[in-house]
Amino acid sequence: MLDATPLTDGWTLGHEGGALPATVPGCVHTDLLAAGVIPDPFLGRNETGVAWVGRREWTYETELTASSGHERTDLVFDGLDTAAEIVLDGRSLGKVRNMHRSYRFDVTGVSGRLAVRFASAYTEAEAVRQRLGDRPNAYPEPFQHIRKMACSFGWDWGPTLVTAGIWRPVRLEHWSTARLARVRPLVTVDGRHGRVELRVDVERTRVEADLTLEARTGDVRAVAAVDGTGGTVRLDVPDPELWWPRGYGEQPLYDVELTLLHGDVPLDTWRRRIGFRTVELDRGADAHGSAFTFAVNGTRLFARGVNWIPDDVFPSRVTRERYRERLAQAADAGVDLVRVWGGGIYESEDFYDACDELGLLVWQDFPFACAAYPEEQPLRGEVEAEARENVVRLMPHPSLVLWNGNNENLWGFRDWDWERRLAGKSWGEGYYLGLLPRVVAELDPTRPYAAGSPWSGSWDHHPNDPAHGTHHSWEVWNREDYAEYRANVPRFVAEFGWQAPPAYATLRRALPGEELAAGSPGMLHHQKAEDGNGKLERGLARHFAVPDGTPGEEFDRWHYLTQVNQARAVAAGIEHWRSNWPVCAGTVVWQLNDCWPVTSWAAIDGDGRPKPLYHELRRLYADRLLTLRPGGDGPLLAAVNQAAEVWRGTLRLRRMSVDGTVLGATTVSLTAFPRSVADLRVPRDLVPTGPKEFLVADAWGSPRSSGAESGGALRALHFPAPDKDIPYPRPEFEVSVTPGPVTAVTVTARTLVRDLLLQADRLAPGARADTGLVTLLPGERVTIGVDGWPHPDSSAARTALYCVEPAL
């Protein structure tokens, strides 16, 4: 039987002062940090001070004993970041140049000093650039000339920390006669019949040996002979339980085991979990353009998505538990689709396992983003090898529903002046429209492939045409107010978003000793977007009066209001687009997470703290959503029902004054059929007539859609004027605190209190609130649960409560 020995101990990292202890898996930066050689690059402006690390060569070493009782011993690296030479006992085993691949070397009978000598990624990338010619990209670093995580070279939310290291596990594999070189599971469902077809490649040391494949799942067993170096074994499963995305059904997973046998002797075993489901992507033409609608098990769905970036700029630090925590946060917010963005990595099995279990659909980009990529060698061979390996590696996961060729490169060629600057040089089109779809069609025909995002389906339409395929909406935020989200109805919005700073405690940790201000040195260093603060300021100015007061008060108001603006911006988009289902079939918010503490578009900051946007997503992505949106003749009301049951209830509409007076009201019945949207007309006499008035819609009869307790209501609000023009009363409210395992903070409003927010991390760095922004009418109350607050106190709670205040 194949015997695997992990190589985790005894590694050292060469350094000018001598050898340092090294952690494998790991990277140079984390080893230097652990040894006290460099400061934490996430704090202050230390990132700049450690830039030298990415320009150096580094060597990892350990002693290797490869002897065993087997015929063959292989040295296997699951991931090397990135350009390296592997030397054993003074003999070169080979050179590698791709972070996204694994590597295997025959070391049978060889022992001695093992050295992994990493070149600077800059040196490798710049050498390839000099050989193949420069190509345009969105950032000044040469990331498109090396097969490495692009965002390690910096992004508009990420630091430039170009590391090196043995970033995934390494081991010795001892084996005899034969081993399983590759197992490709094709999982299909036809009516009430499920099939797992395992296509197997075998590597041998004995050509003459008769080999057998035995596969099992549950009580189903099948056997097939190996013909030469390959074979196929099929498992037919009657009436399989179907795997569904969260909110549509359960996520049953089946254990599949495949054993390679020589006679009765097992030689190697492959084990995975699979799920039975069908996935289709409707891209057909219709009266509105070209669709982009997912259907799982025949059920068409509006995808409630988030974009995922690497959760740490040093991915080797992301544990199985951290993946699970972050993805569980997504699921708890109502998310059912996670897009693995193309400037990052193919994630670890832990990521996809969690998605399988949580019912999160995975849209997987191939790692190409925001750049023109050369198609010549040495890159072309690397691209094909990594694609073939990772397509097969990820195939077992039922959560994976789409392969996507790239992020924004087809759009960039058309709109970012690349075509002129390239002057005929290759730029990646051959990958996205040729190589990658061929690899997917050959290896994984059970899943759809898209050439890129955004992409209209062909060059017959602009790549980012909202009427065709996927669309990225970045005029909003970059140049326009979020009200412009309502200007069109894209078929599928794969990227859109609005920035906000991280939580207060995250800033305090990241910028120790700094007097916080929007433009303070540390804040500006942790703002990587071009004119990011300028866009934040202009976005605020359209809606709010400029914060005023002492420097600390001014920052606190700026911090709160920018977070409010982020939540409102994303809400404006999602409410509009969900209300236009089925023309629009999905929204994928940019972005769920961060890789360090930074002002960004994330809903969860770099320390894992949810922003108000996160809590707002729980409302926006609930099965049932009530919306009031501006319209030409008054606000438009829509009841969005993504649940499988009819939504029948009662709807109360109230036209109110900001002083709390009810100026008009009516009650009507509400019916929204499953997976549909019901539009209701707001009576003209209830339409607000000026900035002193607003509209409130409350719907009963759908408690399970919002997560509210039975009898709770869904609410939508419409204020016809920007906050700076609304004559709000001075907010008045009472606060009471009830200690417990989860402390209850109850706020009772005496006036209109708009967008009340308890910033629990201001009470204690580890404190978390279970509620985000909430608007209270006079006399209403809300109870907010706070976990991790060691010394509850009502006066302290009041200091952490913020709301919109009247303009001076």
Side-chain angles (χ1 to χ4, degrees):
M1 192 69 170
L2 184 147
D3 177 33
T5 305
L7 298 179
T8 56
D9 299 328
W11 288 94
T12 60
L13 174 64
H15 184 259
E16 292 173 347
L20 303 174
T23 298
V24 172
C27 72
V28 170
H29 282 84
T30 53
D31 288 331
L32 296 176
L33 183 61
V37 175
I38 62 171
D40 188 339
F42 286 10
L43 302 185
R45 289 175 282 174
N46 291 341
E47 172 202 355
T48 304
V50 302
W52 59 272
V53 176
R55 294 286 182 178
R56 298 281 184 90
E57 297 178 354
W58 299 94
T59 298
Y60 283 81
E61 292 187 290
T62 192
E63 289 295 327
L64 185 68
T65 301
S67 61
S68 73
H70 288 275
E71 297 170 349
R72 173 83 171 263
T73 298
D74 290 338
L75 174 63
V76 182
F77 294 93
D78 285 341
L80 292 167
D81 179 14
T82 293
E85 181 179 19
I86 294 85
V87 178
L88 177 58
D89 195 28
R91 177 172 64 92
S92 177
L93 300 180
K95 294 183 178 181
V96 303
R97 62 196 325 156
N98 193 329
M99 179 184 184
H100 306 302
R101 292 180 59 186
S102 65
Y103 296 95
R104 179 180 294 268
F105 301 97
D106 183 353
V107 295
T108 306
V110 183
S111 297
R113 194 69 174 170
L114 172 64
V116 184
R117 300 171 179 168
F118 288 96
S120 163
Y122 280 110
T123 301
E124 169 72 12
E126 288 160 359
V128 172
R129 179 170 61 184
Q130 184 174 7
R131 175 178 169 184
L132 301 182
D134 198 11
R135 303 291 199 282
N137 70 11
Y139 299 96
E141 303 276 334
F143 62 83
Q144 75 268 46
H145 299 283
I146 184 171
R147 296 309 295 154
K148 176 179 171 65
M149 184 175 86
C151 64
S152 65
F153 289 89
W155 221 259
D156 57 3
W157 37 257
T160 302
L161 293 168
V162 180
T163 196
I166 305 171
W167 76 289
R168 280 182 167 163
V170 55
R171 62 190 173 278
L172 290 174
E173 289 190 357
H174 310 286
W175 55 279
S176 300
T177 307
R179 72 173 187 91
L180 297 169
R182 185 175 75 169
V183 180
R184 186 160 59 93
L186 295 171
V187 181
T188 56
V189 182
D190 183 7
R192 299 179 63 181
H193 178 78
R195 168 171 286 184
V196 186
E197 184 174 292
L198 301 167
R199 299 184 182 180
V200 182
D201 294 334
V202 171
E203 184 179 11
R204 294 172 174 262
T205 60
R206 301 184 197 176
V207 177
E208 76 285 356
D210 291 330
L211 304 176
T212 305
L213 298 168
E214 181 181 87
R216 297 176 181 271
T217 183
D219 296 330
V220 179
R221 174 181 175 274
V223 177
V226 174
D227 182 9
T229 59
T232 299
V233 59
R234 298 177 179 86
L235 293 166
D236 290 309
V237 180
D239 296 319
E241 295 182 77
L242 296 182
W243 184 97
W244 290 91
R246 60 164 305 282
Y248 290 81
E250 300 301 315
Q251 293 79 45
L253 297 170
Y254 287 71
D255 292 313
V256 176
E257 181 175 285
L258 173 71
T259 303
L260 176 65
L261 297 157
H262 180 214
D264 294 330
V265 178
L267 302 176
D268 197 1
T269 301
W270 175 94
R271 298 181 181 89
R272 296 292 187 277
R273 292 185 306 173
I274 59 95
F276 290 98
R277 58 100 184 96
T278 64
V279 57
E280 298 170 285
L281 181 58
D282 177 7
R283 287 178 273 201
D286 59 25
H288 304 281
S290 305
F292 195 92
T293 305
F294 287 101
V296 178
N297 299 325
T299 298
R300 296 165 69 86
L301 56 90
F302 182 99
R304 294 167 278 188
V306 288
N307 281 274
W308 171 275
I309 66 170
D311 205 50
D312 197 312
V313 74
F314 307 127
S316 59
R317 295 200 295 199
V318 184
T319 62
R320 183 178 184 87
E321 292 74 25
R322 183 162 154 187
Y323 276 123
R324 179 75 189 204
E325 177 188 5
R326 198 69 70 245
L327 291 166
Q329 285 177 302
D332 289 345
V335 169
D336 59 22
L337 181 143
V338 178
R339 177 190 173 210
V340 181
W341 167 76
I345 57 176
Y346 306 94
E347 292 287 350
S348 81
E349 294 295 327
D350 297 331
F351 174 92
Y352 304 96
D353 285 345
C355 290
D356 291 343
E357 295 162 5
L358 293 167
L360 295 172
L361 303 175
V362 176
W363 160 331
Q364 177 69 52
D365 280 12
F366 287 97
F368 302 89
C370 301
Y373 285 77
E375 297 177 38
E376 293 79 22
Q377 299 294 6
L379 294 176
R380 186 177 184 86
E382 293 292 344
V383 167
E384 180 165 359
E386 76 176 55
R388 288 183 171 278
E389 176 176 341
N390 284 284
V391 166
V392 172
R393 178 173 73 89
L394 301 182
M395 281 176 63
H397 295 283
S399 57
L400 180 59
V401 295
L402 180 69
W403 294 105
N404 182 61
N406 75 89
N407 175 75
E408 297 189 345
N409 295 343
L410 295 160
W411 182 21
F413 179 76
R414 176 60 56 86
D415 272 7
W416 301 348
D417 197 34
W418 288 4
E419 187 170 8
R420 179 190 62 81
R421 294 164 61 190
L422 285 163
K425 288 187 288 189
S426 66
W427 58 275
E429 182 182 27
Y431 296 146
Y432 320 133
L433 300 180
L435 172 64
L436 295 175
R438 286 197 300 270
V439 168
V440 172
E442 174 193 342
L443 298 177
D444 188 16
T446 67
R447 288 181 178 87
Y449 170 86
S453 185
W455 180 234
S456 58
S458 79
W459 288 115
D460 293 339
H461 306 286
H462 187 281
N464 200 29
D465 187 336
H468 299 276
T470 51
H471 177 69
H472 289 194
S473 180
W474 285 118
E475 285 299 301
V476 171
W477 164 253
N478 282 323
R479 280 164 284 277
E480 298 174 345
D481 183 51
Y482 55 75
E484 295 304 311
Y485 282 140
R486 305 184 186 104
N488 56 43
V489 181
R491 306 312 304 270
F492 194 105
V493 190
E495 280 190 23
F496 72 106
W498 198 272
Q499 271 200 350
Y504 183 79
T506 300
L507 289 173
R508 274 284 168 229
R509 187 190 71 82
L511 303 175
E514 180 163 312
E515 183 176 345
L516 296 178
S520 63
M523 286 294 295
L524 291 177
H525 186 81
H526 288 249
Q527 164 62 278
K528 297 296 186 179
E530 182 181 2
D531 190 30
N533 270 21
K535 293 169 184 176
L536 282 174
E537 297 289 353
R538 291 189 290 276
L540 276 183
R542 296 183 182 108
H543 299 274
F544 298 100
V546 177
D548 192 13
T550 66
E553 292 172 343
E554 182 176 319
F555 175 80
D556 290 346
R557 294 301 299 172
W558 176 88
H559 179 264
Y560 161 74
L561 290 174
T562 51
Q563 295 205 333
V564 170
N565 227 28
Q566 180 188 39
R568 289 196 193 172
V570 172
I574 294 178
E575 288 186 355
H576 173 64
W577 294 321
R578 279 195 73 182
S579 298
N580 281 280
W581 161 262
V583 177
C584 180
T587 55
V588 189
V589 177
W590 187 269
Q591 63 213 67
L592 174 69
N593 58 326
D594 268 326
C595 65
W596 78 313
V598 65
T599 296
S600 84
W601 298 264
I604 301 169
D605 75 18
D607 281 5
R609 293 186 175 92
K611 297 182 187 178
L613 171 60
Y614 172 81
H615 295 283
E616 185 70 351
L617 285 177
R618 297 173 67 184
R619 179 183 73 86
L620 296 167
Y621 276 167
D623 282 351
R624 289 170 176 154
L625 172 68
L626 194 67
T627 79
L628 280 168
R629 296 164 292 122
D633 297 324
L636 307 172
L637 192 147
V640 181
N641 182 21
Q642 206 161 343
E645 302 84 20
V646 177
W647 178 5
R648 289 192 174 91
T650 301
L651 178 70
R652 180 175 64 173
L653 288 168
R654 285 177 288 171
R655 177 174 149 234
M656 297 187 67
S657 168
V658 293
D659 66 9
T661 304
V662 177
L663 305 174
T666 190
T667 300
V668 297
S669 61
L670 168 67
T671 301
F673 292 102
R675 323 287 192 210
S676 69
V677 179
D679 294 316
L680 294 89
R681 185 182 301 277
V682 175
R684 186 168 295 277
D685 62 341
L686 295 183
V687 174
T689 59
K692 292 184 178 181
E693 299 181 4
F694 64 102
L695 183 62
V696 183
D698 292 306
W700 287 268
S702 57
R704 66 180 292 270
S705 67
S706 64
E709 296 179 1
S710 180
L714 288 183
R715 171 169 287 177
L717 298 167
H718 170 67
F719 289 81
D723 293 73
K724 62 185 180 181
D725 297 334
I726 298 174
Y728 290 116
R730 179 66 58 184
E732 296 178 7
F733 52 84
E734 297 174 359
V735 182
S736 64
V737 171
T738 304
V742 176
T743 296
V745 178
T746 300
V747 180
T748 303
R750 297 305 175 207
T751 64
L752 171 66
V753 179
R754 190 170 184 197
D755 282 331
L756 180 75
L757 176 67
L758 176 61
Q759 297 190 37
D761 60 288
R762 288 178 178 264
L763 302 171
R768 301 281 178 93
D770 63 7
T771 303
L773 299 167
V774 59
T775 294
L776 299 175
L777 305 181
E780 292 183 336
R781 68 178 59 186
V782 63
T783 297
I784 303 168
V786 180
D787 190 26
W789 186 13
H791 305 294
D793 176 78
S794 59
S795 60
R798 182 174 283 274
T799 68
L801 284 163
Y802 289 76
C803 64
V804 175
E805 296 184 357
L808 298 178

